[in-house]
Amino acid sequence: MTTKSRAQVEALKLAIESERQRVKSASGTTLRHAFKEPGSTIPREQRLLEGHLGKIYALHWSGNGHNIVSASQDGKIIIWNSQTTKLYLGPAHSSWVMTCAFEQQRNEMVACGGLNNLCYIYRTDHGQVMRAMSELAGHDAYLSCCRFVDECSILTTSGDSVSILWDIEQDESIMRFVDHTGDVMSVALDPNSPRLFVTGSCDSTAKLWDSRVPGLPLMTFTGHDSDINSVAFFPDGKTVGTGSDDSTCRIFDLRCTMSINIFRSAKIVCGITSVDFSRSGRILFAGCGDFKTHCWDVTSIG
C-alpha cells in the first residue's frame, strides 16, 4: 500500500468515526425530546372499577389486554372488562387470597390462591358465577404467586420455599423446583420461552429455571440486601427486573448474570412490593408500601 493509499484509508476512518458520533448524538437528542423525563408527566386515572368489599391483594391482565382478574380479601375474585364493568364473579375459597392469574392464550381460565396453601383453577365460560374446576394441593405453606405456562399447566410459588409446575388436567404436580432458602414470593415467565421462568425470594436472591431441566436453577442473581417481593421479565426476555424490601429495584442481565442497573430514591423509605415494565420496556414501574407507584426510565442511571 502506497503512502497516498494509507492517507486515504486514515482519512476515511476519521470520516466514518465522525459520522458515527454525529448520528449517535442526533439519535440521543431525538430520543430525549421524544420521551419526556419521568416525573414530567403525571399519570391520569383512566377508569375506576368498583365491586370488591375488601383489600385487593392481586390482579393480572388477560393475554388480549381487555380483561383483568382481581383477588380480594372479601373472599371473591372478579373478572373485569377494563372498558366497562365486571363480567364474572367467583369465590376465592379463602378470605386471605394472595395471588391470581389469567391464562394468556385463550383467556378462558383464571387461578387464585392464598393462605390455605391451595391453588384453584376456574373457567370463565361457565356462566357469570364461576366455580372452581380444579384444586391443586401440594404446598406446605401459603401460595404467594401463580402464573399459567399454557392452557394445560401452571406454576405456583409458596412460603415453603418451593415452586411447583402442575398439570391442570390431571390435577397433579409435574415437577418441583427447590433451591431457595426463604419464602418464594414471585414468579415470572420468559416472554419468548415460557419454559424458562424466574423466581424471587425472601433469601434476597432471584433464580432462573428451566422447567424442562430438573434440579438446580440455571442462574442465581444476587445483590439485594433484603427480601425480593416481585420479579418481571423485560419484554425481550434478556433481562429481569426485581423489587425488594431494601427499597430498591434492580435489573439483571441473563447474558452476564449480573446487576446492570439499580434504582433507588430518597423518597422511598419502604419496601418495593411489585414491579413491571411498560410494553416497550422503557419504563420500570414499582409499587411500594407507601401506596404510591414510582417510575424509572431504564436507560438512565438509577
Side-chain angles (χ1 to χ4, degrees):
M1 182 180 293
T2 63
T3 302
K4 182 178 180 181
S5 297
R6 290 194 185 93
Q8 290 176 335
V9 169
E10 292 301 321
L12 184 58
K13 286 182 179 179
L14 291 173
I16 292 173
E17 181 61 27
S18 176
E19 181 66 13
R20 181 183 289 117
Q21 293 299 323
R22 185 191 71 78
V23 171
K24 181 178 179 181
S25 176
S27 299
T29 301
T30 302
L31 186 61
R32 284 192 296 273
H33 285 302
F35 183 84
K36 295 181 180 180
E37 291 296 322
S40 63
T41 301
I42 300 176
R44 293 180 299 139
E45 179 184 294
Q46 298 296 312
R47 190 159 286 102
L48 178 64
L49 303 176
E50 296 181 295
H52 282 297
L53 301 177
K55 177 181 178 181
I56 298 174
Y57 207 91
L59 62 83
H60 194 220
W61 283 89
S62 63
N64 59 24
H66 299 316
N67 299 331
I68 304 169
V69 60
S70 60
S72 167
Q73 289 181 359
D74 61 8
K76 299 290 189 295
I77 60 171
I78 297 178
I79 297 179
W80 312 80
N81 182 313
S82 61
Q83 300 301 315
T84 55
T85 184
K86 60 184 177 183
L87 300 176
Y88 306 102
L89 175 71
H93 296 282
S94 171
S95 60
W96 291 97
V97 63
M98 299 182 68
T99 182
C100 60
F102 225 122
E103 188 272 316
Q104 299 290 293
Q105 278 73 47
R106 301 183 64 179
N107 307 295
E108 294 180 352
M109 289 187 290
V110 295
C112 72
L115 289 186
N116 64 355
N117 307 355
L118 303 174
C119 180
Y120 299 94
I121 310 294
Y122 304 79
R123 293 199 66 87
T124 62
D125 54 358
H126 286 179
Q128 289 191 326
V129 178
M130 299 182 297
R131 300 293 180 221
M133 57 172 275
S134 297
E135 182 180 298
L136 307 177
H139 284 294
D140 296 324
Y142 64 89
L143 204 74
S144 57
C145 192
C146 61
R147 288 294 181 264
F148 284 93
V149 177
D150 51 37
E151 299 171 45
C152 301
S153 55
I154 190 171
L155 272 164
T156 59
T157 60
S158 170
D160 61 9
S161 306
V162 177
S163 304
I164 300 180
L165 176 65
W166 302 87
D167 184 318
I168 296 173
E169 296 179 346
Q170 301 298 321
D171 291 352
E172 62 183 19
S173 168
I174 300 174
M175 192 177 301
R176 297 168 64 89
F177 304 90
V178 183
D179 194 57
H180 282 295
T181 57
D183 300 15
V184 185
M185 300 303 297
S186 181
V187 62
L189 304 180
D190 185 330
N192 300 319
S193 175
R195 296 300 174 182
L196 293 175
F197 64 95
V198 66
T199 54
S201 169
C202 291
D203 62 11
S204 305
T205 70
K207 295 179 183 288
L208 178 70
W209 309 80
D210 188 332
S211 61
R212 298 160 296 188
V213 182
L216 297 177
L218 303 179
M219 301 178 188
T220 297
F221 305 102
T222 61
H224 281 293
D225 297 324
S226 190
D227 304 0
I228 294 179
N229 295 315
S230 182
V231 292
F233 265 98
F234 193 79
D236 67 0
K238 296 178 181 177
T239 56
V240 172
T242 58
S244 170
D245 274 347
D246 64 10
S247 304
T248 70
C249 295
R250 288 178 180 264
I251 294 182
F252 295 92
D253 194 312
L254 273 60
R255 294 160 293 187
C256 64
T257 69
M258 293 178 61
S259 173
I260 58 174
N261 210 342
I262 179 171
F263 302 97
R264 56 166 59 95
S265 170
K267 298 179 180 179
I268 303 176
V269 294
C270 53
I272 309 293
T273 58
S274 59
V275 294
D276 206 354
F277 291 98
S278 61
R279 183 167 295 184
S280 68
R282 182 68 187 269
I283 303 298
L284 175 64
F285 298 94
C288 304
D290 59 3
F291 309 108
K292 297 178 181 177
T293 299
H294 298 264
C295 311
W296 284 281
D297 178 356
V298 300
T299 64
S300 66
I301 303 299

